[in-house]
Amino acid sequence: MENKEDNKPATVVEVVDQGPLGIKGSFILKDLKRGSESKPGEVWLCRCGKSKNKPFCDDSHKKND
Amino acid sequence: MGNNKSFSGGRRYSNDDITVYWKPSACIHATYCFRELIEVFDPGRRPWVDMKAAPTDRIIEVVNMCPTDALTWKWNDNEKNKDVPQDQTNHVRFRRPELLDDEIAVNEVRPVVVKVMVDGPIVINGTFDFDNDGTRKEVKDSLISVCRCGASSKMPFCDGHHRKIGFTG
């Protein structure tokens, strides 16, 4: 709560072109489909719909090129 | 946006320096606030208080004109609330002392919540940096919905296509 002053963003969400959604930093991940909740610090979430390890990316998108 | 919050004592609006409290039930429509400073206090706008529209000292001046405790204010830096001159008539110390203990939300960092929706998108809620196509912008106290099924026509955002294609996952 106090150390918000430094300029580093607490959470960064990155759309990887033709790839997953990267989320880094401070956040709570709630997977409503699988009923889990965690604070992973960094995740890569599938955006192509083909991962066998949803909600995470397993590089299945590359097989599509 | 994002700096006005409902709380048990009415509503509160903050800039970097102060928080203005509004207690609607105490308003007798003396109209000082919007006659003096319509940029900040505009009853026709939602939210009706825009704390960015005038300098802090001017906002304090106008809040002090309110004849009731409908509008009160205090410094966000609690140290400065300890010794407040009497002429600051509408400081919460004189009007609503219970608010001296109110924790201000200005610097409150609410955790970013990432929800993986059932057979639907990723919904991210909070304040975070959003990097899309090499451009980065700050999403502030808001939410985005990112496609997870691969079929959206509004990539990277969800456009509801997951339902049409029967996406599960």
Side-chain angles (χ1 to χ4, degrees), chain A residues 1-5 7-17 21-23 26-34 38-39 43 45-50 54-56, chain B residues 103-104 106-109 111-119 122 124 127-134 136 138 140 144 146-151 155-156 167-169:
Chain A
M1 216 165 138
E2 300 301 330
N3 55 8
K4 205 212 165 189
E5 296 308 313
N7 289 323
K8 197 165 159 263
T11 318
V12 179
V13 176
E14 177 194 1
V15 178
V16 178
D17 188 31
L21 185 74
I23 309 172
S26 169
F27 64 95
I28 301 166
L29 179 67
K30 293 183 181 179
D31 184 342
L32 304 187
K33 174 85 177 185
R34 283 149 285 265
S38 59
K39 282 187 163 182
V43 286
L45 299 178
C46 171
R47 288 203 305 127
C48 74
K50 298 191 180 69
K54 290 191 187 75
F56 306 106
Chain B
E103 288 282 334
I104 304 303
V106 191
N107 293 319
E108 180 183 308
V109 183
V112 174
V113 177
V114 178
K115 278 187 191 167
V116 176
M117 306 307 284
V118 176
D119 305 332
I122 302 156
I124 308 172
T127 297
F128 52 91
D129 275 20
F130 183 51
D131 219 327
N132 182 24
D133 261 348
R136 180 176 284 207
E138 188 186 35
K140 203 160 188 180
I144 60 169
V146 176
C147 171
R148 213 156 62 81
C149 74
M155 286 293 191
F167 173 72
T168 59

Side-chain angles (χ1 to χ4, degrees), chain B residues 61-125:
Chain B
E61 197 173 41
V62 173
V63 169
N64 283 337
M65 290 178 189
C66 180
T68 70
D69 61 356
L71 287 173
T72 52
W73 68 278
K74 74 172 184 180
W75 300 105
N76 295 335
D77 177 0
N78 235 338
E79 282 299 309
K80 294 170 81 173
N81 292 320
K82 286 180 179 160
D83 193 22
V84 184
Q86 292 276 349
D87 61 354
Q88 301 295 333
T89 52
N90 283 46
H91 188 279
V92 296
R93 177 169 291 286
F94 307 121
R95 298 266 192 177
R96 300 179 72 191
E98 74 276 12
L99 293 178
L100 285 169
D101 298 326
D102 179 48
E103 288 282 334
I104 304 303
V106 191
N107 293 319
E108 180 183 308
V109 183
R110 284 195 295 132
V112 174
V113 177
V114 178
K115 278 187 191 167
V116 176
M117 306 307 284
V118 176
D119 305 332
I122 302 156
V123 176
I124 308 172
N125 197 346

